[in-house]
Amino acid sequence: MRIATWNVNSVTPRVPRLLPWLDQRQPDVVCLQETKLGAEAFGELLGDELSSRGYQFAHNGQGQWNGVALLSKVGLDDVRHGVQDGPGFPEIDGPQEARAISALCGEGDAQVRVYSVYVPNGREPESDHYQYKLAWLEKLRADVAQHAATSVICGDVNIAPTDADVFDPAAYVGHTHVTEPERAALAAIEAEGLADVVRKRWPSERVFSYWDYRAGMFHKDLGMRIDLIMAGEAVASRVEAAWVDRQSRKGTKPSDHAAVIVDLDVAPDGDVGPMVPPPSNPAKRGGAKVKLPQATE
């Protein structure tokens, strides 16, 4: 089974890239984030194209914001929208945003619960949205804990797990995505028995999945790894390849995220490495100081 996750940063303009990518990579299960469409609009846009390729699909959307989807050629059962008892925003007891969807994929003993998640950004440390992010992560942990061994969490977690997952830790001081409470919340999810399968397979490699559109960050490989696939023990033991499809970030009108791909049981392309293709001329780590494009003076 090939499982892939991709934050497409609005699916409508990405259709000319998404459909050829599905044909090329042939994933069995696809988790999409930031679709930015309502439920009906997603089906109207992609329903026929997905069905013709053998995909069932489920979508949790809310119009111009957020939105997550699951596409599957290997079953899509017991679909659940959101996370159990998840918080809302701005009212914590309000309706959940469209940030999670899960379903059972596969058959028999090989069946797994796949989550497509788009974790809140957090905006600024100690802001209301940051506290919402931590509360949302705790509810995700509690939800997954019920069946962690046979679960796979895929998506944009908006957290770089360690300093090795950003191009320069100094550039991120004072920003979200790297703070200790965020990393602790992510570690608590992993502590339920899930493995970060890309990092497990490539423990010391420079691997990123997101690059800001501005300042030539992609071409210099000045990125961060915030798109993860975390698998429970019964699933992680089946991993034959785990890699970032950097090709999906190249070319015309890309998302600012690359797809991440994990192969279970069989790896059709072999154990191809941590990033495909690797960056040709990355900036040296710890070289000239680089500020984030959004950083203030």
Side-chain angles (χ1 to χ4, degrees):
M1 183 190 299
R2 170 166 283 183
I3 301 175
T5 184
W6 194 3
N7 179 326
V8 291
N9 189 14
S10 187
V11 72
T12 300
R14 234 59 73 194
V15 170
R17 298 181 61 98
L18 174 63
L19 296 178
W21 176 81
L22 291 173
D23 295 336
Q24 178 190 19
R25 297 303 188 197
Q26 292 291 314
D28 298 295
V29 179
V30 183
C31 300
L32 300 178
Q33 299 87 43
E34 240 186 317
T35 60
K36 298 183 181 179
L37 283 178
E40 291 185 7
F42 184 89
E44 291 170 359
L45 178 69
L46 285 169
D48 290 345
E49 293 284 2
L50 295 177
S51 295
S52 70
R53 288 168 169 80
Y55 287 104
Q56 297 175 268
F57 65 91
H59 180 246
N60 183 13
Q62 63 179 92
Q64 62 182 321
W65 308 109
N66 308 317
V68 286
L70 280 169
L71 324 177
S72 177
K73 292 181 177 180
V74 291
L76 201 62
D77 301 321
D78 191 23
V79 176
R80 302 177 185 177
H81 290 62
V83 295
Q84 187 173 335
D85 301 322
F89 188 82
E91 291 80 25
I92 206 77
D93 57 352
Q96 290 191 48
E97 295 184 298
R99 293 188 174 274
I101 190 168
S102 71
L104 294 173
C105 303
E107 297 180 356
D109 293 341
Q111 192 174 61
V112 297
R113 177 160 289 279
V114 180
Y115 289 75
S116 178
V117 302
Y118 178 45
V119 174
N121 178 283
R123 298 179 185 171
E124 296 179 359
E126 307 309 326
S127 68
D128 288 347
H129 204 265
Y130 181 90
Q131 297 303 318
Y132 162 57
K133 179 178 189 174
L134 298 180
W136 196 94
L137 286 163
E138 168 55 24
K139 292 300 184 181
L140 175 62
R141 183 206 62 76
D143 191 317
V144 174
Q146 300 174 62
H147 34 68
T150 55
S151 291
V152 183
I153 300 176
C154 305
D156 178 0
V157 302
N158 271 315
I159 302 167
T162 71
D163 282 353
D165 298 302
V166 297
F167 74 87
D168 181 3
Y172 289 88
V173 173
H175 294 270
T176 57
H177 294 57
V178 300
T179 66
E180 191 56 39
E182 291 169 286
R183 287 176 168 174
L186 183 62
I189 295 172
E190 289 191 46
E192 295 294 340
L194 285 83
D196 176 350
V197 294
V198 170
R199 183 53 76 200
K200 183 178 180 180
R201 199 156 194 89
W202 307 104
S204 59
E205 298 286 343
R206 173 173 170 145
V207 187
F208 302 136
S209 65
Y210 164 86
W211 301 261
D212 196 289
Y213 285 125
R214 296 166 287 185
M217 301 288 275
F218 177 66
H219 302 290
K220 301 171 188 174
D221 197 33
L222 300 175
M224 59 195 313
R225 193 176 69 92
I226 57 176
D227 302 271
L228 307 185
I229 296 182
M230 298 184 290
E233 183 179 357
V235 185
S237 63
R238 298 166 55 195
V239 172
E240 294 295 328
W243 45 288
V244 174
D245 183 4
R246 192 172 169 275
Q247 185 69 39
S248 65
R249 175 62 173 80
K250 298 179 74 173
T252 305
K253 295 183 179 178
S255 169
D256 44 3
H257 297 251
V260 182
I261 295 175
V262 167
D263 290 319
L264 306 181
D265 304 322
V266 177
D269 299 307
D271 199 4
V272 293
M275 297 178 69
V276 180
S280 58
N281 190 28
K284 291 183 179 179
R285 188 179 179 90
K289 275 194 172 183
V290 178
K291 281 192 173 183
L292 300 183
Q294 67 270 33
T296 56
E297 294 295 334

